[in-house]
Amino acid sequence: MKADKKEYWDIDRPLSYNCLFNFIVGSRGVGKTFGSKQWALNRFLKYGEEFVYVRRFQTELRKIKTFWDDLAPYFPKHELGYGKNEFYCDGEICGRAIALSTAKVNKSVPFPNVGVIIFDEFILDIGYHRYLPDEVTNF
């Protein structure tokens, strides 16, 4: 199911170009994160494909418990949850949350069912945080 608000960003157009990376930049509140999460959950429900949700710092994952709050009303037949850096749909792992600053710890951990990585808020507001040293290579 897709949100039917036409004023929100639609992920289908950038994905239609079949690029390895899609960098989505736009105003706040136009649905970039919502659309990405919705697409990832639909991929899990249809194909069993998992996702990884990346933020730069561990502190940015503190409020991750509310990750599904905006999306849950669009998936009323499914139980969505979160625990121990894992996202769940109907009791199965459908995604994982990773901080890029600690990602080297996971560098040899296989994620064979992961088909998409969402790096949310990859552009920093001036003065808010800092980019990681050698961030692109770490990603």
Side-chain angles (χ1 to χ4, degrees):
M1 172 192 254
K2 290 188 93 160
D4 38 85
K5 303 228 178 199
K6 293 187 191 266
E7 67 267 15
Y8 291 118
W9 173 75
D10 183 6
I11 195 171
D12 293 331
R13 181 147 186 210
L15 292 176
S16 73
Y17 296 106
N18 201 28
C19 295
L20 180 59
F21 295 101
N22 292 288
F23 295 88
I24 310 302
V25 180
S27 303
R28 287 202 175 278
V30 297
K32 299 178 301 293
T33 299
F34 180 91
S36 298
K37 293 183 334 184
Q38 183 181 48
W39 181 78
L41 182 56
N42 279 323
R43 297 282 301 177
F44 174 76
L45 292 171
K46 190 171 184 179
Y47 304 110
E49 183 178 279
E50 297 174 10
F51 66 92
V52 171
Y53 181 76
V54 179
R55 294 299 294 258
R56 190 166 279 105
F57 299 103
Q58 194 68 38
T59 55
E60 295 176 285
L61 295 175
R62 286 187 188 148
K63 294 184 180 179
I64 202 78
K65 294 175 195 131
T66 62
F67 184 82
W68 295 122
D69 287 2
D70 57 347
L71 209 56
Y74 296 93
F75 294 87
K77 295 180 182 175
H78 299 282
E79 183 182 336
L80 304 175
Y82 175 80
K84 296 182 183 177
N85 293 332
E86 296 173 333
F87 299 103
Y88 296 93
C89 178
D90 300 329
E92 293 183 56
I93 296 172
C94 63
R96 300 166 196 284
I98 295 176
L100 188 57
S101 61
T102 61
K104 286 190 176 185
V105 173
N106 293 316
K107 72 179 182 177
S108 63
V109 177
F111 295 105
N113 299 323
V114 170
V116 67
I117 299 171
I118 302 167
F119 186 1
D120 204 8
E121 304 291 343
F122 67 94
I123 294 178
L124 294 176
D125 292 334
I126 296 172
Y128 180 64
H129 270 303
R130 59 178 168 68
Y131 290 100
L132 297 170
D134 208 15
E135 184 167 298
V136 174
T137 302
N138 286 335
F139 179 75

